[in-house]
Amino acid sequence: MILLTPGDPAGIGPEVMLVAWRDRGPDVDAGLAGDPRIWSRAAERLKMDPSVLPLVGRPDDQLSVPDPGAPTLDGARLAWQALDEALEMAANRSAAAIVTGPISKKHMTEAGFPHAGHTEYLASAAGVPRVLMVMSDGDRFHVGLHTVHVPLRQVPDMLDENLMVQDLQLLQGFVSSLYPSVAVRLGVCGLNPHAGEGGLLGTEDTIVDRAVQLAMSHGLDATGPVPGDTVFAGLRDGQFDAVLAMYHDQGLAPFKVLHFDKGVNVTVGLPWVRTSPDHGTAFDIAGTGSANPDSARAALELARRLLAVSSGG
């Protein structure tokens, strides 16, 4: 089973995830985690029959479901509960994949959520040493992030050649899972403009260079550091099959320019599949019926594909 979580119930998550469930293929076994009130109210707004929904979550009468566009701490706690329900089912193997709706990091943090986002929380819950956040169009544009939800000023001190090699191995494995016959070519972003210009614009790219050399010694086809203003053109044009960016916006800005409507966030390295739409809560349009569900549809479809690969189907 693939479990869908609503994300923050005051955002667009419940409606776009519900549309993704409604439009799923006939071979997709999917359930809806989280307080049933969230899904039932979203179904009513979408003119869907709530009685047909595959609700697997538990209600919590101690918490109030917020109205669309009006986020509350109760709403953040309901989003957290839905995520934990999905994790529980993944741990006991009654679910093989989780597709998560968007959360508000601000409200989740205020509610006591111990991590900066889904990715870090899922890694901690799974007890794995390293995961990689990958943005994917499900086709040929895949971007991994060496650092994720951290302030930009901290990024240079967080570059680590050994962790970079692990990230490249995870990225290579992800692309190979989608295309087993492809000899994966990895482009690695430099940190500084012009990849440091030989040290003139910063020395941090020597760490990237050492990581690339180490990755090659492990049998990976890696090239870098490549300047961040050219490496994504190489990905677009087929020179690379995937790119590892050094920080969040370095990778997400070019990705979303090209694939915002149908992009998927994948957490690679977990013992189960996790995907998510590539957008946020969009509180300003929640409940208006104007949210684009394409990214949620793509997230569910990619989860299905990855499960099919892992099961040999």
Side-chain angles (χ1 to χ4, degrees):
M1 175 186 289
I2 301 174
L3 285 181
L4 283 67
T5 70
D8 194 301
I12 63 173
E15 54 196 276
V16 298
M17 301 300 279
L18 200 52
V19 169
W21 171 81
R22 182 195 66 194
D23 296 345
R24 73 197 185 283
D27 59 337
V28 178
D29 178 21
L32 305 175
D35 194 306
R37 295 173 297 169
I38 299 172
W39 297 111
S40 295
R41 294 182 187 186
E44 291 170 357
R45 294 195 297 271
L46 293 167
K47 310 300 183 186
M48 294 171 58
D49 180 1
S51 68
V52 305
L53 303 181
L55 303 173
V56 299
R58 300 180 292 270
D60 186 341
D61 295 333
Q62 301 301 309
L63 298 175
S64 298
V65 180
D67 292 329
T72 64
L73 292 186
D74 271 7
R77 294 183 181 106
L78 287 168
W80 190 351
Q81 286 183 1
L83 182 59
D84 281 347
E85 288 174 0
L87 286 170
E88 180 182 335
M89 294 185 68
N92 66 27
R93 299 184 182 278
S94 56
I98 302 173
V99 183
T100 58
I103 58 174
S104 165
K105 295 176 177 59
K106 175 181 182 294
H107 293 92
M108 293 288 281
T109 299
E110 291 176 355
F113 196 67
H115 293 281
H118 272 123
T119 302
E120 298 86 351
Y121 188 71
L122 293 168
S124 177
V128 293
R130 185 75 176 172
V131 298
L132 182 67
M133 179 175 171
V134 176
M135 305 303 294
S136 173
D137 69 341
D139 186 17
R140 294 292 185 181
F141 205 96
H142 315 290
V143 181
L145 305 180
H146 180 55
T147 65
V148 187
H149 299 121
V150 297
L152 187 57
R153 68 173 61 195
Q154 295 179 12
V155 169
D157 293 334
M158 296 180 67
L159 299 187
D160 184 293
E161 61 192 87
N162 292 308
L163 294 180
M164 219 173 287
V165 172
Q166 293 180 38
D167 291 345
L168 289 167
Q169 290 171 328
L170 290 169
L171 187 56
Q172 191 272 345
F174 169 72
V175 178
S176 291
S177 70
L178 291 175
Y179 302 99
S181 62
V182 171
V184 180
R185 300 157 299 168
L186 302 169
V188 186
C189 279
L191 175 70
N192 295 300
H194 303 183
E197 194 75 60
L200 181 65
L201 301 178
T203 61
E204 293 87 357
D205 289 289
T206 60
I207 301 172
V208 182
D209 180 64
R210 292 198 301 269
V212 169
Q213 298 304 314
L214 186 57
M216 292 172 64
S217 74
H218 284 75
L220 298 177
D221 184 351
T223 300
V226 183
D229 61 353
T230 60
V231 68
F232 295 100
L235 178 58
R236 179 199 61 196
D237 296 340
Q239 179 183 355
F240 304 117
D241 299 298
V243 163
L244 182 68
M246 293 299 103
Y247 57 93
H248 188 277
D249 286 10
Q250 184 184 47
L252 265 66
F255 179 86
K256 289 193 174 186
V257 165
L258 295 174
H259 302 292
F260 184 83
D261 288 337
K262 296 185 179 180
V264 180
N265 177 358
V266 187
T267 305
V268 180
L270 295 170
W272 18 263
V273 170
R274 182 263 172 158
T275 65
S276 178
D278 72 348
H279 56 70
T281 52
F283 292 128
D284 57 322
I285 62 170
T288 66
S290 61
N292 188 333
D294 286 349
S295 184
R297 290 190 184 107
L300 180 55
E301 169 57 18
L302 186 54
R304 182 202 65 77
R305 284 178 59 193
L306 291 169
L307 283 184
V309 169
S310 65
S311 64

